């Protein structure tokens, strides 16, 4: 199986596309630009969803659901938001089909069924949600509103790639309303921190926290915080964003509240989200030429047990040991699959689970029964060892932590090796071409310089990092004064 995958060195993009399909994560659908997420891929997304949902609820957020369709008049109420998404919108203009009078086997749009107002298929939900919040908010007693929605959105894309960029994708979008600017800013920062915590502790993916430049900011936001990760091909990937919306949407939809001192004020807002793009990030951060490598915290199957046998009698004997071992592991909160199918040989199963990134594989054969041992293989290092059956549970428990931490440290080391400070534009171009990764450089703060660097190199400012000390310097392109380095990279 894995031998049929193009190597990363040979063609990284092809490697990624083949891996997504062959590992059974997703595939292209009959609808151009849309994907089918297969059960194994969806199982990983469900684990992501469950953990994020838990983290949201622990910070006081509740789930709700809002319509898929947004009336055009509502969508265009916040001008910057509407302008930012206008070119990506799918629009419903009619509400009915009818049989084609010239060919009874075909359907056509009924010209008499034109909608009075077009409906936008949500590319994001601020408009419909803030129109709703207007009816929910009258007084400071109604605040804050801390709502999250798990949903699908549509952003029309011509060039798509599974998980990374599709016309329809799954995500969560938080939309909160606050009485003060300070509360909204604290919420924006809190959610960006939650995304970073999730990325590092569950995805084992190191991220840099920071803010977007004005030109990269979410349409309709006053400020956008983000987390950026570095993939193995040296390209950056935006893994999550949290937006301080100020009072822009409250003003657009006239959402006001009676304050404690008797005044009437506009509400302060945030929105924040991550999507199935995280699946792409997970794949590209850890996987290798043999297939997926999954961190234990997000692996649908953490341990697989494969019997090696001849005949039903041997299988029964092995199954007795394997089922007891599986039960003991499950009692420790570890997900286990005992694959005793007789339709595939052990070698085929080994290749399949290696391809699918199962963190630990245990093999039990007749000799293992005699010796009271098992063969244990780690997916991340591909190392194998024999150990007594009585030590398996404790060993696997330790490995879950060890593999999780090892994957994080490996990815962190890679990012460190591929983060390069540069002082001039020639060095900038050389590093970008020969090494890739994050380039730490001074920038004069103007949108013109930012755009010019993008035109010349295709590299963008990924973020202005929070944890970088102020440092006087000269812009890498113009030589004008700069007070802080920013991170540039080519990106997905």
């Amino acid at each position: 199986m894995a031998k049929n995958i193009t190597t990363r060195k040979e063609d990284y993009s092809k490697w990624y596309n083949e891996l997504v399909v062959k590992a059974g994560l997703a595939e292209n659908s009959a609808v151009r630009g849309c994907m089918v997420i297969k059960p194994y891929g969806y199982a990983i997304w469900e684990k992501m969803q469950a953990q994020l949902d838990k983290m949201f609820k622990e910070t006081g957020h509740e789930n709700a659901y809002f319509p898929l369709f947004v009336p055009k008049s509502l969508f265009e109420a916040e001008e910057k938001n509407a302008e930012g998404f206008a070119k990506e919108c799918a629009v419903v203009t009619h509400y009915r089909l009818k049989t084609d009078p010239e060919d009874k086997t075909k359907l056509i749009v009924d010209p008499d069924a034109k909608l009075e107002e077009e409906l936008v298929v949500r590319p994001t939900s601020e408009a419909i949600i803030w129109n709703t919040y207007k009816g929910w908010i009258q007084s400071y007693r109604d605040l804050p509103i801390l709502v999250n929605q798990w949903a699908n959105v549509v952003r029309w894309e011509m060039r798509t790639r599974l998980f990374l960029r599709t016309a329809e994708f799954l995500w969560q979008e938080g939309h909160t309303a606050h009485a003060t600017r300070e509360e909204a800013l604290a919420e924006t920062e809190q959610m960006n921190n939650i995304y970073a915590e999730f990325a590092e502790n569950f995805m084992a993916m190191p991220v840099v926290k920071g803010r977007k430049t004005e030109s990269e900011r979410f349409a309709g936001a006053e400020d956008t915080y983000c987390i950026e990760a570095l993939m193995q091909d040296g390209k950056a990937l935006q893994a999550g964003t949290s937006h301080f919306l100020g009072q822009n949407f409250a003003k657009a939809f006239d959402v006001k509240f009676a304050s404690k001192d008797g005044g009437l004020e506009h509400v302060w807002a945030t929105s924040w989200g991550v999507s199935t793009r995280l699946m792409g990030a997970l794949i590209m951060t850890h996987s290798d030429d043999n297939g997926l490598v999954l961190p234990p915290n997000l692996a649908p199957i953490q341990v697989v047990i494969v019997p090696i046998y001849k005949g039903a009698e041997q299988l029964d004997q092995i199954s007795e040991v394997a089922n007891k071992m599986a039960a003991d592991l499950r009692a420790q909160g570890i997900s286990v699959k005992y694959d005793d199918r007789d339709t595939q040989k052990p070698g085929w199963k080994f290749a399949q689970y290696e391809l699918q990134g199962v963190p630990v594989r245990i093999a039990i054969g007749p000799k293992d029964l005699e010796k009271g041992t098992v063969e244990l293989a780690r997916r991340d290092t591909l190392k194998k060892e024999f150990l007594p059956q009585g030590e398996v549970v404790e060993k696997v428990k330790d490995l879950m932590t060890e593999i999780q931490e090892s994957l994080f440290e490996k990815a962190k080391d890679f990012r460190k090796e591929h983060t390069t400070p540069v002082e001039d534009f020639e060095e900038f171009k050389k590093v970008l071409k020969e090494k890739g990764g994050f380039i730490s450089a001074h920038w004069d703060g103007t949108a013109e310089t930012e755009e010019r660097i993008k035109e010349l190199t295709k590299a963008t400012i990924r973020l202005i990092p929070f944890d970088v000390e102020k440092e006087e310097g000269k812009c890498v392109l113009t030589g004008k004064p700069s007070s802080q380095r920013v991170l540039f990279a080519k990106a997905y």
Side-chain angles (χ1 to χ4, degrees):
M1 282 182 172
K3 288 184 173 68
N4 296 326
I5 297 176
T6 301
T7 65
R8 289 164 294 172
K9 188 175 182 181
E10 188 181 344
D11 187 331
Y12 190 86
S13 180
K14 195 175 179 184
W15 164 82
Y16 172 83
N17 292 334
E18 289 178 356
L19 182 50
V20 170
V21 173
K22 291 185 178 182
L25 302 180
E27 63 188 29
N28 290 305
S29 74
V31 184
R32 186 182 174 191
C34 295
M35 63 178 167
V36 173
I37 304 175
K38 298 179 77 173
Y40 191 63
Y42 200 81
I44 299 170
W45 174 244
E46 280 182 316
K47 293 205 76 167
M48 289 181 167
Q49 191 179 26
Q51 182 55 41
L52 282 165
D53 200 64
K54 181 172 180 282
M55 295 168 89
F56 298 159
K57 285 171 179 169
E58 284 172 350
T59 46
H61 299 85
E62 299 176 296
N63 288 333
Y65 187 80
F66 297 86
L68 173 67
F69 302 114
V70 184
K72 187 167 74 72
S73 59
L74 293 184
F75 186 73
E76 61 194 8
E78 211 294 325
E79 292 177 8
K80 286 185 180 178
N81 189 253
E83 183 184 350
F85 286 101
K87 292 180 181 179
E88 298 177 329
C89 288
V91 184
V92 179
T93 58
H94 291 72
Y95 60 84
R96 185 169 64 211
L97 299 173
K98 71 174 187 176
T99 303
D100 186 345
E102 295 180 7
D103 183 349
K104 299 297 184 183
T105 66
K106 303 294 182 184
L107 294 171
I108 60 170
V109 174
D110 186 343
D112 296 327
K114 194 173 191 305
L115 291 169
E116 289 184 16
E117 180 181 4
E118 295 92 343
L119 297 173
V120 175
V121 181
R122 63 173 169 230
T124 182
S125 295
E126 279 80 4
I128 194 72
I129 287 176
W130 277 91
N131 181 68
T132 305
Y133 282 179
K134 184 177 181 179
W136 292 5
I137 299 168
Q138 280 79 45
S139 159
Y140 70 89
R141 296 182 182 87
D142 301 320
L143 297 170
I145 292 176
L146 306 175
V147 163
N148 174 64
Q149 162 170 260
W150 291 96
N152 62 335
V153 290
V154 172
R155 296 180 184 176
W156 215 252
E157 297 279 358
M158 298 311 293
R159 300 181 65 184
T160 59
R161 186 181 294 183
L162 295 169
F163 292 122
L164 296 174
R165 195 172 291 277
T166 50
E168 180 196 19
F169 55 89
L170 305 182
W171 77 345
Q172 59 73 211
E173 47 180 326
H175 296 272
T176 69
H178 304 267
T180 67
R181 176 187 181 90
E182 290 70 29
E183 279 183 32
L185 279 168
E187 168 78 2
T188 309
E189 183 177 0
Q190 173 185 246
M191 300 321 294
N192 201 53
N193 288 338
I194 283 175
Y195 289 153
E197 182 186 342
F198 172 76
E200 298 197 336
N201 294 343
F202 290 86
M203 295 178 69
M205 180 178 76
V207 294
V208 183
K209 293 187 287 186
R211 62 163 39 92
K212 288 289 187 184
T213 62
E214 186 176 350
S215 61
E216 292 284 333
R217 205 176 280 164
F218 177 75
E222 285 192 18
D223 209 352
T224 290
Y225 296 172
C226 63
I227 56 171
E228 289 279 333
L230 192 63
M231 304 296 98
Q232 292 180 58
D233 62 345
K235 285 186 180 178
L237 187 141
Q238 179 181 287
T241 50
S242 182
H243 314 292
F244 171 59
L245 303 178
Q247 294 175 312
N248 295 339
F249 284 89
K251 288 176 179 177
F253 291 93
D254 195 30
V255 184
K256 295 177 180 176
F257 71 101
S259 61
K260 286 183 180 179
D261 57 14
L264 200 61
E265 300 176 21
H266 282 105
V267 175
W268 296 85
T270 80
S271 67
W272 29 272
V274 295
S275 74
T276 37
R277 169 174 265 237
L278 289 181
M279 292 285 293
L282 186 72
I283 294 160
M284 290 196 290
T285 299
H286 304 300
S287 302
D288 59 25
D289 294 342
N290 295 303
L292 284 178
V293 176
L294 295 177
N297 286 353
L298 292 179
I301 305 166
Q302 293 173 311
V303 179
V304 63
I305 303 174
V306 178
I308 302 170
Y309 63 93
K310 287 181 180 178
E313 187 179 343
Q314 278 189 2
L315 177 59
D316 289 343
Q317 292 171 343
I318 292 169
S319 293
E320 189 176 338
V321 173
N323 285 322
K324 169 72 166 57
M325 192 176 291
D328 291 343
L329 286 165
R330 289 184 189 115
Q332 298 298 319
I334 295 165
S335 61
V336 187
K337 178 178 180 179
Y338 175 43
D339 190 347
D340 60 352
R341 291 175 295 167
D342 60 5
T343 52
Q344 301 292 351
K345 292 183 178 180
W348 187 95
K349 295 176 184 178
F350 291 172
Q352 180 190 31
Y353 294 117
E354 189 171 281
L355 179 64
Q356 292 188 317
V358 175
V360 173
R361 185 187 77 230
I362 293 171
I364 307 175
K367 289 184 180 179
D368 295 304
L369 287 182
E370 292 174 16
K371 298 177 182 177
T373 61
V374 300
E375 182 192 70
L376 185 146
R378 284 176 58 158
R379 175 60 187 91
D380 61 329
T381 61
L382 300 176
K383 289 181 180 176
K384 300 175 186 176
E385 63 177 303
F386 289 92
L387 69 155
Q389 292 167 10
E391 296 177 13
V392 167
V393 174
E394 285 304 313
K395 176 69 175 179
V396 170
K397 274 177 63 181
D398 292 343
L399 277 178
M400 292 297 104
T401 302
E402 188 180 328
I403 293 171
Q404 186 76 28
E405 291 175 353
S406 175
L407 288 174
F408 178 75
E409 290 303 323
K410 184 180 178 182
K412 195 174 179 182
D413 289 344
F414 177 87
R415 188 187 68 184
K416 185 178 179 181
E417 290 165 16
H418 292 82
T419 301
T420 311
V422 302
E423 306 304 329
D424 61 64
F425 200 56
E426 287 307 310
E427 188 184 6
F428 183 103
K429 290 186 289 185
K430 186 172 187 289
V431 170
L432 192 65
K433 182 180 178 181
E434 297 177 4
K435 185 180 179 183
F438 285 133
I439 296 177
S440 175
H442 280 280
W443 165 59
D444 64 17
T446 67
E448 292 77 16
T449 298
E450 184 180 6
E451 183 59 30
R452 185 62 179 150
I453 291 173
K454 183 179 178 180
E455 287 174 4
L456 293 171
T457 66
K458 295 184 179 177
T460 56
I461 297 176
R462 301 315 304 155
L463 77 174
I464 304 166
F466 287 143
D467 62 354
V468 173
E469 292 181 12
K470 295 290 182 183
E471 171 195 324
E472 297 299 322
K474 293 181 179 179
C475 175
V476 72
L477 181 69
T478 65
K480 293 178 182 177
S482 162
S483 62
Q484 181 184 344
R485 289 180 181 272
V486 298
L487 288 185
F488 290 86
K490 289 184 178 178
Y492 284 95

